[in-house]
Amino acid sequence: MQIRKKYDKLADVNVKHAIIAAVCCLLAACGDRQSSAEKFAAEGILVLGNNSEPQSQDPHKATAVADGKIISTLLEGLVRPSPHADGEVLPGAATRWEHNEAADIWTFHLNPTAVWSDGHPVTAHDFVYAYQRLLHPQFAGKYAEMLYPLKKAEEYNKGECSWEEVGVSALDEHTLRLTLNGPTPHLPRLLLHFTWFPIPAHRVEASGGMLDRRSLWAQAQNWVGNGAYVIDRHHFNDYLSVIPNPRYTRAGELKNKGIRFLPIVNGYTETRMYLGGKLHISNNVPPEMLAYARSTSPNDYCQDPYYCTIFYRLNTSRPPLTDLRVRRALHLAIDRAALVEKVVRGAGSPTSTFTPPGAGYAATAPDEPATQAEREELARKLLAEAGFKDGKGFPILELMTSSRDVQRIMAETIQAMWQKVLGIHIDIRSCEWTAYKAAQQNMEYDISSSSWSGDYLDPATFVELWRSGGGNNCTGWGSPDCDAHLAAARNCGQADERRDHLRKAEEIMLRAQPILPLYHSERTYLRSSRHISGWQPRLLDNFPLDAVEVHP
């Protein structure tokens, strides 16, 4: 009963939020005959919510989804995403490519007429330069692991070999050869991620050189790119705008005249802005406003499948989280069905695994009792075995979340579950986004609210996260057995055998419990049916924005 009252109290608060939002929307709508979204639509400018202030437009320093959306409009990799289907790729900077029978040597032929936005030619050497920069051990790129499929890339990144041994070479100005550690028939899907994009070597060298992490080359006033757009303006915590790149090879195919990315962290604020005529596409509708948004704008409301998992990281280097029994107790005490029903409001599915289903892969769930009551009984038993019967003597740990309201409400709900089931108290610390990301990367936390969306449409983008010492692992956990299966998967040319190795690696991680999986997310957002056409949902939320048509 106690936990149910907690849910009902939260539900009452959520209804009040929705009512306030409705009033704000009505007031906003009465203030002006023509909304800003209508004005921008008349100019052909797409305006969308982008979750947070971008960390960087430099593809070697960026790590967030919000950064990736912007970078994908400014730079173009060897291939580009198709506007027609998930996983389909089209020629990008490369007009064609081929590979050997084993699919471990790929040759890409670049468009000889392609130039950077400042007129310099785009060459194979720009790709070689970009890959060396991200992998260079002195640069310390957080996403360097994305390039580990390249032969000797990991060894170079760890300072164990020379760059000349890495499987990247420019055969001539417009021919790039990539040699991989093993068969990689899915390489084109990996190349869609911004870590594989080129950077203008001439501009980076003129702005401090390859290893200068303080380089200003990627700022608005210095920007040079090869993508569909170039940076127009960047007003911190207000908006970043891009306009068409007249030197882009397919400039005549662009469907709009520019894009404005608005960094709106608060879901309530963003939904009010959309309903008040400030946006064409929102980033997300918070769970508390789903019903209201759906009833208010049924033609604009979208709920799409999303390659994303919501989970909690555990800092396994801090007692008592060093004890597997404690980690398992925390996992079993969470009622995921209630969490999805009462907090997420159906915009997801409860899970005890990590990788979402898709791309021909389904993770194996760990062995645990069938009912929630049985899981809670086992959780209490495990905590008692760890020396904390009924929660007595258990230290006060801290659960770190971002400042988003849904994260806070979810944390409060799980906090109540742990109190009721285990008799332990967990403090909640809400952080501004930049501070939150830094604390997680530096492992300055006990428990961290987390999410992971796929970088490419393949289970490896989830399972590889748990490589020992991985840049995005951030739990302190690692396993030689897990690493061995990950290595075997990377070197395996048979699809079924490769997926089996990934599945076994994930099973090892789940049994060790460095994380608490919560639910596989669905993407809920608002899109103007009046002003937007050509849009198609994507599992990776990577629809090419140059293909979106904005009209009055």
Side-chain angles (χ1 to χ4, degrees):
M1 285 298 293
Q2 181 182 354
I3 194 71
R4 181 62 61 186
K5 289 179 182 177
K6 175 74 173 178
Y7 294 151
D8 292 341
K9 180 180 179 182
L10 289 172
D12 291 340
V13 171
N14 296 337
V15 170
K16 291 178 183 177
H17 278 304
I19 293 172
I20 293 170
V23 173
C24 291
C25 290
L26 288 173
L27 290 174
C30 294
D32 192 353
R33 287 185 177 182
Q34 189 179 39
S35 69
S36 60
E38 290 172 329
K39 293 175 182 177
F40 279 116
E43 298 172 12
I45 306 296
L46 171 65
V47 183
L48 50 83
N50 199 38
N51 188 50
S52 62
E53 176 65 23
Q55 294 172 313
S56 177
Q57 284 73 248
D58 188 328
H60 299 156
K61 293 192 288 188
T63 60
V65 172
D67 303 350
K69 286 185 180 180
I70 296 172
I71 291 170
S72 293
T73 69
L74 300 172
L75 294 171
E76 183 169 85
L78 294 165
V79 300
R80 58 193 173 98
S82 166
H84 306 299
D86 267 316
E88 182 181 344
V89 300
L90 298 175
T95 57
R96 60 187 177 88
W97 54 88
E98 66 269 353
H99 59 76
N100 63 352
E101 185 176 354
D104 61 354
I105 299 177
W106 292 68
T107 304
F108 294 85
H109 305 275
L110 306 189
N111 186 337
T113 66
V115 296
W116 294 99
S117 55
D118 64 355
H120 280 70
V122 176
T123 73
H125 301 289
D126 291 313
F127 284 88
V128 175
Y129 183 90
Y131 299 167
Q132 182 178 7
R133 181 176 186 248
L134 179 56
L135 287 168
H136 200 292
Q138 293 181 32
F139 188 79
K142 291 293 184 182
Y143 251 150
E145 294 176 16
M146 286 292 294
L147 272 58
Y148 278 11
L150 294 169
K151 182 180 179 182
K152 292 284 188 177
E154 182 175 5
E155 290 85 345
Y156 176 72
N157 186 232
K158 294 179 178 179
E160 298 171 356
C161 73
S162 66
W163 172 249
E164 288 69 29
E165 298 177 70
V166 180
V168 181
S169 59
L171 303 186
D172 56 42
E173 291 293 296
H174 299 109
T175 309
L176 181 71
R177 171 72 52 81
L178 301 182
T179 303
L180 309 173
N181 285 312
T184 315
H186 57 289
L187 178 64
R189 294 202 297 273
L190 273 65
L191 298 178
L192 292 172
H193 193 264
F194 61 78
T195 47
W196 292 89
F197 291 179
I199 59 174
H202 66 284
R203 174 62 66 140
V204 178
E205 283 298 304
S207 303
M210 177 182 286
L211 302 181
D212 183 7
R213 289 189 62 89
R214 296 176 296 177
S215 171
L216 301 180
W217 82 268
Q219 292 195 349
Q221 66 271 23
N222 301 320
W223 179 259
V224 170
N226 71 325
Y229 301 89
V230 293
I231 301 176
D232 178 33
R233 294 186 181 92
H234 184 191
H235 294 283
F236 187 77
N237 274 339
D238 188 4
Y239 70 88
L240 184 148
S241 62
V242 300
I243 56 176
N245 173 9
R247 291 190 168 105
Y248 178 55
T249 52
R250 284 173 286 275
E253 300 175 17
L254 300 189
K255 300 296 185 182
N256 56 61
K257 296 180 181 179
I259 307 171
R260 277 196 173 204
F261 298 90
L262 276 57
I264 314 168
V265 175
N266 188 290
Y268 299 116
T269 301
E270 183 183 44
T271 303
R272 290 197 299 268
M273 289 178 66
Y274 179 90
L275 296 174
K278 305 293 184 184
L279 300 168
H280 298 132
I281 305 175
S282 74
N283 184 66
N284 82 294
V285 177
E288 300 79 12
M289 296 185 73
L290 291 180
Y292 177 75
R294 189 186 297 114
S295 63
T296 303
S297 301
N299 294 329
D300 296 356
Y301 179 81
C302 303
Q303 185 166 334
D304 301 335
Y306 189 27
Y307 210 40
C308 177
T309 299
I310 309 300
F311 64 105
Y312 281 178
R313 281 179 168 91
L314 302 177
N315 187 338
T316 62
S317 66
R318 291 188 175 182
L321 299 176
T322 51
D323 192 322
L324 174 58
R325 294 167 298 185
V326 172
R327 301 197 298 269
R328 288 290 292 163
L330 293 174
H331 166 79
L332 293 165
I334 299 174
D335 186 343
R336 288 159 176 79
L339 187 72
V340 169
E341 178 188 356
K342 295 294 182 179
V343 178
V344 184
R345 304 298 177 90
S349 56
T351 186
S352 291
T353 63
F354 182 62
T355 305
Y361 177 91
T364 302
D367 292 332
E368 56 188 46
T371 69
Q372 183 58 30
E374 291 172 327
R375 289 192 285 271
E376 292 175 2
E377 181 61 33
L378 178 56
R380 285 187 285 269
K381 179 182 176 183
L382 288 170
L383 196 66
E385 290 177 359
F388 305 105
K389 182 175 175 59
D390 297 326
K392 294 179 181 178
F394 195 86
I396 295 179
L397 300 180
E398 191 173 70
L399 168 54
M400 181 181 70
T401 76
S402 69
S403 56
R404 290 183 60 191
D405 286 325
V406 65
Q407 295 289 344
R408 175 184 54 80
I409 295 171
M410 185 166 68
E412 291 173 355
T413 304
I414 293 175
Q415 177 192 52
M417 291 176 177
W418 284 334
Q419 176 69 52
K420 171 181 177 287
V421 176
L422 301 175
I424 63 175
H425 175 74
I426 303 293
D427 281 343
I428 297 173
R429 172 165 62 109
S430 180
C431 299
E432 177 271 331
W433 176 253
T434 303
Y436 161 81
K437 286 290 289 183
Q440 184 169 273
Q441 286 286 343
N442 297 327
M443 289 185 60
E444 296 169 350
Y445 73 90
D446 297 320
I447 305 170
S448 174
S449 176
S450 305
S451 66
W452 187 260
S453 54
D455 291 319
Y456 49 96
L457 195 56
D458 188 273
T461 188
F462 284 86
V463 188
E464 284 277 359
L465 204 65
W466 309 116
R467 176 203 302 266
S468 298
N472 289 301
N473 184 318
C474 304
T475 65
W477 177 84
S479 162
D481 290 340
C482 179
D483 294 343
H485 281 295
L486 291 174
R490 289 193 295 272
N491 296 321
C492 183
Q494 298 298 319
D496 290 343
E497 184 180 348
R498 176 176 175 271
R499 283 193 292 265
D500 190 52
H501 280 297
L502 291 174
R503 192 175 293 109
K504 288 177 179 176
E506 181 166 353
E507 288 174 8
I508 291 169
M509 183 274 292
L510 292 172
R511 285 197 298 270
Q513 206 75 68
I515 64 169
L516 309 177
L518 299 175
Y519 62 93
H520 297 315
S521 180
E522 292 183 350
R523 185 159 179 261
T524 55
Y525 60 102
L526 292 162
R527 183 192 72 243
S528 174
S529 55
R530 173 185 171 187
H531 295 300
I532 300 298
S533 61
W535 174 275
Q536 296 291 333
R538 287 288 181 272
L539 279 172
L540 297 178
D541 187 25
N542 65 342
F543 187 81
L545 295 177
D546 55 280
V548 177
E549 187 169 358
V550 187
H551 44 77

